[in-house]
Amino acid sequence: MVDPLCKEAARKWIKQSLHDKDMAIKNCSIGGYDVAAFLAHQSVEKLFKGLLLLDGKKIPRTHHIDQLARELEIPKEIMPDVYQLAPDYQISRYPDIADNIPFEQYDDQILQIKLSSLEKIFYLLKDRYSGYVQ
């Protein structure tokens, strides 16, 4: 059984992850592709951290969603989608990471791929989180 405090903390993480997912989609619709990429990463990170709490595990201090996915033992079929979003935590924000201007690295075509990965992750994990958010 999940500790009530962990359950409530998990609910907050998951609820915020769903909001970030919605904001990623909305930013894409206005051409904020770099912001959308960052928010897509953030939404998955927060979902994974909420799921870790539901599993009775501590949240590691990391932004590496591939590491979080392995900790959660995410099905292998989801991992390519996780890897699709993993670099965007930094690349979407810092010009010195890829030696390019972040907002110039993203366009609608790239974001449609990333949003597809985002939607797939949430869809395939829905059974693990849907009972914890209203």
Side-chain angles (χ1 to χ4, degrees):
M1 183 169 152
V2 178
D3 174 276
L5 292 176
C6 285
K7 186 176 175 180
E8 176 59 17
R11 185 188 70 77
K12 290 176 182 177
W13 279 98
I14 294 167
K15 196 167 183 178
Q16 185 64 45
S17 77
L18 291 166
H19 173 75
D20 288 353
K21 179 176 161 282
D22 290 343
M23 292 298 104
I25 294 164
K26 287 180 181 177
N27 270 279
C28 191
S29 72
I30 61 168
Y33 303 119
D34 56 326
V35 175
F38 175 71
L39 288 170
H41 176 280
Q42 284 291 282
S43 65
V44 171
E45 179 183 335
K46 291 169 187 169
L47 174 65
F48 288 175
K49 288 180 176 182
L51 293 176
L52 283 168
L53 287 171
L54 291 178
D55 285 352
K57 298 177 181 176
K58 289 186 177 185
I59 297 173
R61 296 182 73 84
T62 186
H63 299 290
H64 296 281
I65 59 176
D66 53 327
Q67 175 188 343
L68 296 170
R70 286 188 295 275
E71 178 79 21
L72 283 164
E73 299 177 4
I74 293 295
K76 291 188 187 311
E77 68 186 277
I78 299 175
M79 290 308 293
D81 297 294
V82 171
Y83 294 134
Q84 175 64 238
L85 301 174
D88 296 312
Y89 179 75
Q90 293 183 325
I91 290 175
S92 66
R93 300 182 304 144
Y94 301 116
D96 60 341
I97 298 294
D99 201 28
N100 291 303
I101 301 168
F103 80 89
E104 293 177 344
Q105 297 305 300
Y106 296 94
D107 61 22
D108 189 63
Q109 185 177 8
I110 291 169
L111 255 294
Q112 291 311 312
I113 294 167
K114 292 185 179 295
L115 293 180
S116 177
S117 289
L118 175 65
E119 294 286 359
K120 183 177 176 185
I121 291 166
F122 274 81
Y123 177 77
L124 292 174
L125 296 176
K126 189 169 186 146
D127 289 345
R128 289 179 71 173
Y129 70 83
S130 63
Y132 296 95
V133 291
Q134 289 82 353

